[in-house]
Amino acid sequence: MTQILLDFDPTGNCWSMEDYKKRGGYTALEKAVKMDPVELRELVKASGLRGRGGAGFPTGLKWSFFPQETPYPKYLCVNADESEPGTFKDRYLMEYDPHKMVEGAIIALWALHADACYIYIRGEFDLCETRTWQAIEEAYAAGYLGDNVLGTGRAMHMYVHKGAGAYICGEETALMESLEGKKGQPRIKPPFPAVVGIFGGPTTINNVESVAAVPWIVNNGADAYRAFGTEKSPGTKLFSASGHIEKPGVYEVPLGYPLKDFLEKECGGVWRGKQLKAVIPGGSSVPVLTAEEALDCMLDYEDLAEKGSMLGSGGFMALDEDTSMVTALRVLAHFYADESCGQCTPCREGTGWIYKVLVRIEQGLGSWEDLDMLLQTADNMTGKTICPLADALAMPVQSYVTKFRDEFEECIRTGRPVAPRTYFS
Amino acid sequence: MSTVKIKIDGQELEVAAGTTIIQAAHEQGINIPYYCYHPGMVPDGNCRVCLVEVEKAPKLVVSCKTPVADGMVVHTGGEKVEEGRKGVMEFMLVNHPIDCPVCDQAGECKLQDYYFDYDLQDSRFKESKVHKRKVVELGPNVMFDAERCIMCSRCVRFCRDVSETNELGLFNRGDRTEIGLAPGATLDNPYAMNVVDICPVGALTSRQFRFQKRVWFLEEQASTCPGCARGCAIKADFDPAQNRVYRIRAAKDLDVNGYWMCDDGRFTAARDAENRLLQAILPAGETNAATWLLESWQAADKHTIVVDPGQTNEVYERVARLRDAGAEVRVSEGLGTAAYAVEEDDFLISADKNPNRAGLQAILGEVPAWDGKAEGLVLAIGRDPGNLPAGAILLSPWLPASAVSAIPIASWWETDGTSTNLDGISRSVQAVLEPTADVLQACSWLGRLQPAEDEA
């Protein structure tokens, strides 16, 4: 299957400019700077590329919101704060093919007529930061960045900004706050980033994978991109597969690929001969699917949404029959409680509360009211907060407690803590 | 200025474009609860209590951050909004320590008030609450209890935007968030105690006022601060049974002080209560202050009145009448900047620590300064200037500094009148306390010396 994004050999020095150019790197940029920015934006729109960070918002449409007339400098931000549990595809791209992201970002700067790009890299990604800076320096040396890019007379600059260990800074407005040196707390929208972004200037924020797909689209055209995937979800997507599978890793498949095939072929099936129990298709924030539901799904935005989950970031996690869903939910809740920025009341208090209740249930100290209270609390948090982190906990809580209610009830009925998993049975 | 037409709770309104829903509602007297919103600061939208329903919007919106739009239909009540508010209130109370029996804010606490108005549900929280520091000295005047804090960030925004001193910040995240001091900082800016005024719960308390008096024993009286020539609008909280002012808070006056006042002004009531002169000091053999004063005045053929710049306009009018009748007038220095931490700044604090020099100049014009030399009888009003000649008569709320005769008068806190600030704005001074039995108003004494035509 044609690899749009994973076209490198990870055993070699694939992150260097030399290797990237051997694979046809920067031909797209040279082509793009000869195009009219409007034409380039239309091309990306026509390709149907959707944001690969989790929301799936059409990239071309987002670019079309970008104002051209403004007294402020215009910015592009690449959101490399990949922190969604189960997701490690951006890390893979940045460690092994940072030039793809850099080239895509420069093309985006050209298309948006923007002045500078900040790549916001998660604080823990040291290797990504090193390789990305290296790629940027190589790009400057080659004249792909600077005060006069490729002789066009346009100045385009790129910088890496490192985060400091907060999931919430992957939310676009919190990212902007952090970039500006402030506490990473999301802003209320409106105003939207395209109107007031970083340092007061219009800003477009795109995910690493979205930006990395742009060079191929420029080189091969919108129709060629649409040849992959489905009508509403064109193109390919990276899935970071982990969990109880034989072959965890990052895989690129066309959107609309059957989940069953992905699990059997790419992931090598459930490990150690176990049975599948549940699948989290798109990162921990999406509703969980039972094995039965999952094997019926296609990996695209529409089908998963119809089946009650979401494609999200593509953080694919498979859970086997020995998994306690109570433990799994408790682990997730701990993450959200820890990462909540604390700005608004429902999320700040609700995430901590849900976590404490789950700990209690897992220890066998739950009571019957707790389950309905969990569902109500999750409902109370939904839709009332500044950013969707509260919803990102509420959705798993609702799906786990509803679909695997018997496991929770068992804990409450027996009054015994969940037995810890033994790996070597 | 363009306006838009909106509907709030069925009421059609025409509102200036750019107004937020909560401002529009409050202008109409429609109550929308709020914690983090404050009319004197940029809204933050983090408490989520001011949620309202806007028709055609997919979710409840925060009315403090949502500007009105033409044709907007808003519901501040109804099932959705009530459910939303109850939910948020429940979250507010989840980790909040039930300190009410020992918390100063009880009786004026927005958590208590909104719980009774909008919530009234039993707690479903059976876990262990988050524990934080409870007795934190933020500065010389402000104490902090981190557990009670609801992270509304009003204090942080105040230090950032109003006092522009940036001592406070939010540290940690999630339900472990705490207000804290910037490294090496103390909350000691001249406006620090405003954060106590604006804290909706008992997290920030005044070190002078905490544990002194339950607020339901206090009554509130609006007046003007005598601390400096700014004349900020204040609310004096006093116990009528003890006739004592316990606390001074800033009141809203958009033309004078906005929503704020300085810390020094809050201590003026306590300052003015010290060293009170409560009984007349008369020459040997005299027993009736009124008769003695009138006789002394009428016996002298020359009179010099020394007045300080801290009296009300009504006092100056009486002095003007006496000047018309032939008396000389001099103005004493009044209070200097010596006892004050801040001489002057470009916000509220004036270098002139006397409240009504502008009123004095408006009514008496240019008055020569008092230099200790005078002919005839010297009658001084206000603070003892320290250089009164022997035989002078002092009308003052406080004990004289030298061996002169003195008759007590009511202090600023016991007086009704008006005063004029450094911008020429006149405001009322309203009596907060009752003067003790023998203490009369300065105006009353001066009126006796020279009655007006219609008063004789």
Side-chain angles (χ1 to χ4, degrees):
Chain A
M1 199 221 77
T2 314
Q3 300 285 289
I4 292 175
L5 295 164
L6 301 184
D7 62 347
F8 50 85
D9 172 13
T11 60
N13 195 15
C14 51
W15 51 88
S16 67
M17 168 82 86
E18 194 193 326
D19 188 278
Y20 187 59
K21 281 209 138 159
K22 276 208 201 100
R23 291 182 272 126
Y26 289 102
T27 49
L29 176 61
E30 279 160 16
K31 195 171 171 192
V33 298
K34 297 200 185 73
M35 289 170 72
D36 184 288
V38 178
E39 207 188 312
L40 192 47
R41 297 202 291 270
E42 286 302 310
L43 169 65
V44 172
K45 213 181 193 176
S47 74
L49 172 67
R50 290 171 71 160
R52 299 289 192 235
F57 191 84
T59 306
L61 189 58
K62 190 186 265 191
W63 287 9
S64 74
F65 295 151
F66 204 63
Q68 292 302 304
E69 297 297 320
T70 170
Y72 292 101
K74 304 203 287 284
Y75 299 100
L76 169 72
C77 267
V78 176
N79 188 341
D81 189 76
E82 181 176 63
S83 310
E84 181 72 23
T87 316
F88 39 92
K89 56 169 179 82
D90 292 338
R91 174 184 177 180
Y92 190 61
L93 266 180
M94 281 190 283
E95 285 180 357
Y96 290 98
D97 205 5
H99 276 288
K100 209 182 245 100
M101 170 182 66
V102 168
E103 185 186 6
I106 306 174
I107 296 175
L109 282 175
W110 177 263
L112 295 167
H113 220 286
D115 304 294
C117 169
Y118 286 93
I119 304 179
Y120 186 99
I121 299 186
R122 172 179 172 167
E124 292 92 331
F125 280 175
D126 280 331
L127 185 56
C128 296
E129 187 199 12
T130 308
R131 297 214 173 139
T132 304
W133 266 128
Q134 203 181 321
I136 292 176
E137 275 159 26
E138 286 176 327
Y140 268 102
Y144 298 133
L145 284 169
D147 289 326
N148 186 359
V149 171
L150 287 177
T152 59
R154 271 219 32 217
M156 296 194 283
H157 292 279
M158 195 174 290
Y159 311 95
V160 169
H161 182 98
K162 201 92 171 305
Y167 168 65
I168 188 64
C169 288
E171 198 278 331
E172 63 178 9
T173 56
L175 189 155
M176 294 194 294
E177 288 284 288
S178 174
L179 234 168
E180 290 180 5
K182 298 185 266 181
K183 197 169 156 89
Q185 291 185 323
R187 301 175 184 168
I188 295 193
K189 297 190 278 203
F192 290 89
V195 178
V196 178
I198 49 177
F199 310 118
T203 307
T204 294
I205 297 145
N206 286 130
N207 176 258
V208 170
E209 193 189 343
S210 320
V211 150
V214 170
W216 195 97
I217 294 173
V218 169
N219 270 332
N220 297 278
D223 291 333
Y225 195 69
R226 282 191 164 277
F228 301 97
T230 69
E231 200 208 311
K232 291 217 186 105
S233 308
T236 63
K237 173 112 186 57
L238 294 182
F239 285 88
S240 29
S242 66
H244 304 143
I245 50 182
E246 287 294 338
K247 297 195 290 174
V250 178
Y251 300 103
E252 182 177 9
V253 296
L255 283 163
Y257 198 66
L259 198 154
K260 188 163 189 290
D261 291 353
F262 183 72
L263 182 59
E264 297 300 322
K265 295 200 198 113
E266 272 75 12
C267 301
V270 183
W271 71 350
R272 305 181 181 183
K274 300 282 186 183
Q275 292 298 302
L276 184 68
K277 183 187 226 183
V279 168
I280 303 171
S284 65
S285 308
V286 308
V288 72
L289 294 167
T290 61
E292 203 186 310
E293 290 171 332
L295 296 172
D296 213 15
C297 289
M298 307 292 150
L299 290 171
D300 67 28
Y301 295 99
E302 279 64 45
D303 194 72
L304 280 171
E306 250 175 69
K307 303 264 164 63
S309 185
M310 284 164 60
L311 185 67
S313 58
F316 182 92
M317 294 179 268
L319 308 176
D320 76 7
E321 58 191 292
D322 292 338
T323 310
S324 159
M325 298 312 279
V326 178
T327 302
L329 186 60
R330 187 261 302 160
V331 169
L332 284 185
H334 181 249
F335 174 78
Y336 292 104
D338 192 44
E339 297 290 341
S340 166
C341 76
Q343 196 184 182
C344 63
T345 311
C347 173
R348 177 180 69 233
E349 310 293 347
T351 51
W353 186 8
I354 288 176
Y355 171 62
K356 286 177 180 168
V357 173
L358 286 169
V359 167
R360 198 162 41 79
I361 294 177
E362 196 194 8
Q363 288 172 349
L365 300 168
S367 42
W368 290 113
E369 312 88 66
D370 287 336
L371 292 183
D372 287 325
M373 200 200 67
L374 274 176
L375 291 172
Q376 271 187 323
T377 305
D379 197 43
N380 267 342
M381 276 166 46
T382 311
K384 297 200 188 75
T385 49
I386 298 177
C387 86
L389 193 147
D391 305 319
L393 175 58
M395 287 194 294
V397 167
Q398 283 160 343
S399 59
Y400 282 66
V401 173
T402 310
K403 294 181 186 181
F404 297 95
R405 195 174 175 113
D406 53 323
E407 288 193 41
F408 291 86
E409 287 183 345
E410 165 107 7
C411 279
I412 295 172
R413 181 179 39 245
T414 60
R416 279 202 301 271
V418 171
R421 180 191 188 100
T422 50
Y423 283 91
F424 305 108
S425 56
Chain B
M1 188 182 59
S2 60
T3 59
V4 296
K5 286 198 174 57
I6 63 169
K7 230 180 180 181
I8 303 185
D9 293 344
Q11 211 183 332
E12 302 230 349
L13 302 168
E14 197 160 335
V15 183
T19 316
T20 55
I21 297 177
I22 203 172
Q23 285 169 328
H26 285 168
E27 272 167 29
Q28 296 302 315
I30 299 171
N31 258 335
I32 299 180
Y34 57 91
Y35 290 114
C36 67
Y37 168 71
H38 189 282
M41 296 192 289
V42 175
D44 211 37
N46 64 60
C47 72
R48 316 306 284 181
V49 164
C50 69
L51 292 168
V52 294
E53 187 185 346
V54 171
E55 277 181 23
K56 295 198 203 111
K59 307 190 278 195
L60 297 175
V61 303
V62 283
S63 51
C64 66
K65 286 285 259 190
T66 310
V68 295
D70 209 37
M72 196 183 246
V73 180
V74 178
H75 299 285
T76 70
E79 202 190 312
K80 250 194 190 170
V81 174
E82 282 171 19
E83 288 298 310
R85 257 185 222 149
K86 273 204 175 104
V88 176
M89 282 302 303
E90 184 176 30
F91 286 125
M92 282 260 160
L93 293 166
V94 146
N95 280 308
H96 190 81
I98 309 301
D99 279 354
C100 303
V102 299
C103 174
D104 286 289
Q105 203 82 8
E108 54 181 19
C109 172
K110 286 219 230 194
L111 269 181
Q112 288 182 337
D113 295 343
Y114 292 156
Y115 175 80
F116 279 104
D117 289 336
Y118 303 110
D119 191 6
L120 281 176
Q121 294 179 115
D122 286 337
S123 170
R124 297 187 293 177
F125 187 78
K126 293 184 290 195
E127 329 304 323
S128 172
K129 296 194 181 219
V130 177
H131 291 296
K132 301 176 183 169
R133 309 173 297 164
K134 282 190 81 68
V135 186
V136 183
E137 276 183 31
L138 283 186
N141 295 322
V142 181
M143 284 302 261
F144 175 57
D145 183 317
E147 281 183 3
R148 297 177 191 168
C149 175
I150 56 169
M151 274 71 80
C152 72
S153 77
R154 273 182 171 188
C155 56
V156 177
R157 280 178 286 142
F158 177 84
C159 291
R160 186 191 67 196
D161 299 332
V162 182
S163 69
E164 293 179 351
T165 46
N166 288 297
E167 295 101 332
L168 296 178
L170 289 156
F171 294 84
N172 297 329
R173 60 176 185 227
D175 56 11
R176 289 90 49 215
T177 309
E178 269 191 46
I179 303 286
L181 289 165
T186 313
L187 185 59
D188 58 359
N189 70 70
Y191 300 94
M193 289 170 86
N194 284 298
V195 302
V196 177
D197 280 358
I198 60 178
C199 180
V201 297
L204 291 166
T205 45
S206 149
R207 295 180 77 172
Q208 284 69 35
F209 178 63
R210 69 205 303 261
F211 305 137
Q212 296 300 308
K213 187 63 89 173
R214 277 304 194 188
V215 299
W216 50 83
F217 294 129
L218 297 174
E219 283 176 26
E220 181 187 300
Q221 174 60 56
S223 188
T224 303
C225 175
C228 79
R230 179 71 54 186
C232 298
I234 57 172
K235 287 185 279 225
D237 296 315
F238 67 103
D239 181 349
Q242 289 182 296
N243 203 35
R244 175 185 153 185
V245 171
Y246 272 89
R247 176 178 68 174
I248 297 178
R249 293 176 288 156
K252 170 183 164 187
D253 190 328
L254 295 175
D255 296 315
V256 178
N257 56 308
Y259 298 87
W260 321 111
M261 69 182 291
C262 75
D263 287 4
D264 280 331
R266 297 173 195 268
F267 297 120
T268 50
R271 172 197 73 185
D272 289 349
E274 286 173 358
N275 299 318
R276 287 299 298 273
L277 174 68
L278 295 172
Q279 281 185 316
I281 300 172
L282 302 173
E286 301 293 338
T287 49
N288 189 314
T291 37
W292 170 77
L293 177 67
L294 200 54
E295 279 166 11
S296 308
W297 185 264
Q298 285 163 345
D301 48 355
K302 282 211 172 75
H303 308 91
T304 306
I305 300 176
V306 179
V307 70
D308 81 2
Q311 302 302 311
T312 57
N313 290 333
E314 288 68 22
V315 167
Y316 297 137
E317 276 161 17
R318 304 271 186 298
V319 170
R321 239 192 281 141
L322 287 164
R323 185 172 59 182
D324 291 341
E328 291 281 322
V329 179
R330 297 286 181 271
V331 59
S332 63
E333 256 182 61
L335 279 175
T337 56
Y340 292 84
V342 178
E343 234 187 76
E344 174 172 39
D345 66 17
D346 52 9
F347 185 28
L348 294 177
I349 300 175
S350 163
D352 182 2
K353 304 301 180 190
N354 300 280
N356 202 9
R357 193 182 301 271
L360 190 156
Q361 281 169 346
I363 294 167
L364 295 171
E366 282 305 314
V367 177
W370 166 246
D371 57 2
K373 302 189 193 68
E375 292 178 1
L377 177 68
V378 174
L379 177 70
I381 307 163
R383 252 171 236 286
D384 186 338
N387 53 355
L388 292 175
I393 304 174
L394 176 67
L395 294 180
S396 178
W398 304 288
L399 298 168
S402 52
V404 295
S405 309
I407 297 175
I409 54 171
S411 72
W412 185 272
W413 304 97
E414 297 152 348
T415 305
D416 285 308
T418 55
S419 86
T420 309
N421 83 347
L422 50 87
D423 289 328
I425 300 172
S426 294
R427 289 285 185 258
S428 332
V429 176
Q430 297 181 66
V432 178
L433 304 174
E434 290 290 328
T436 55
D438 292 333
V439 177
L440 301 180
Q441 300 288 329
C443 283
S444 159
W445 289 111
L446 296 174
R448 288 173 201 212
L449 297 179
Q450 181 67 40
E453 268 89 62
D454 54 354
E455 275 174 14

